[in-house]
Amino acid sequence: MTDPVVRPPSKSGRYLFVLIAGLLIGAVITVMGMRALQARQDHFPGSLMTVMAKQAQLLGESQKQNRCTINDTTPRLQTLRALSNDLKAAFPSLRDDQRFQLHASRFRATLNDALAKPPADCAALAAVAQKIGNDCKACHQDFK
């Protein structure tokens, strides 16, 4: 009787295990690296722009809902004005740029005018919202 041929165990299982382990370890290291880079970023500029955009959006929604009284619009305008004080702090690399200073000053002036004479009806609110939008758009065209 002849002995059956015994084949050595296949190494493909080992290779597959090493490949999967390498992929998992690589994914974990990539995620850790991305988190470390993300933690170093300054989130203040993006956060400031997000909150300002939301306040401007809420002004527009008030207008669409025909809620255009001084009591409805003044808090949003006050919030925008308070946030506009932090523009230079949010973008320190642009602090000395004359164009940036001009855009920030115009934006604050628009808000100061709106707060000095708050919009009392939807037509006035539409005009104020348009000026605010134009000020934002002008700055973003130059610096975004």
Side-chain angles (χ1 to χ4, degrees):
M1 208 162 161
T2 60
D3 290 329
V5 178
V6 179
R7 292 185 183 167
S10 174
K11 294 182 182 180
S12 63
R14 290 182 190 170
Y15 292 135
L16 182 62
F17 174 76
V18 170
L19 176 67
I20 292 172
L23 289 173
L24 288 175
I25 291 170
V28 168
I29 290 173
T30 300
V31 169
M32 290 173 58
M34 295 300 288
R35 292 283 186 171
L37 290 174
Q38 185 181 27
R40 291 182 180 177
Q41 290 178 343
D42 184 10
H43 297 286
F44 183 54
S47 300
L48 180 66
M49 291 292 108
T50 300
V51 174
M52 290 175 76
K54 184 63 175 181
Q55 292 297 318
Q57 176 190 356
L58 291 172
L59 275 175
E61 288 177 12
S62 291
Q63 179 188 357
K64 288 177 186 172
Q65 296 171 357
N66 202 26
R67 298 181 62 209
C68 305
T69 66
I70 292 173
N71 292 334
D72 292 324
T73 59
T74 301
R76 305 277 178 231
L77 294 170
Q78 288 172 334
T79 302
L80 281 169
R81 180 58 182 95
L83 291 170
S84 71
N85 290 333
D86 292 329
L87 287 171
K88 287 182 182 178
F91 301 100
S93 62
L94 300 174
R95 179 177 289 151
D96 296 328
D97 190 310
Q98 292 295 325
R99 294 176 305 155
F100 181 75
Q101 290 177 5
L102 180 64
H103 288 302
S105 294
R106 282 186 190 156
F107 185 65
R108 284 191 295 271
T110 297
L111 292 168
N112 287 339
D113 292 344
L115 286 169
K117 187 174 184 269
D121 59 15
C122 286
L125 178 58
V128 168
Q130 181 68 34
K131 286 175 110 175
I132 291 170
N134 289 343
D135 290 343
C136 291
K137 186 177 179 181
C139 187
H140 285 220
Q141 284 178 343
D142 285 348
F143 294 105
K144 199 167 187 182

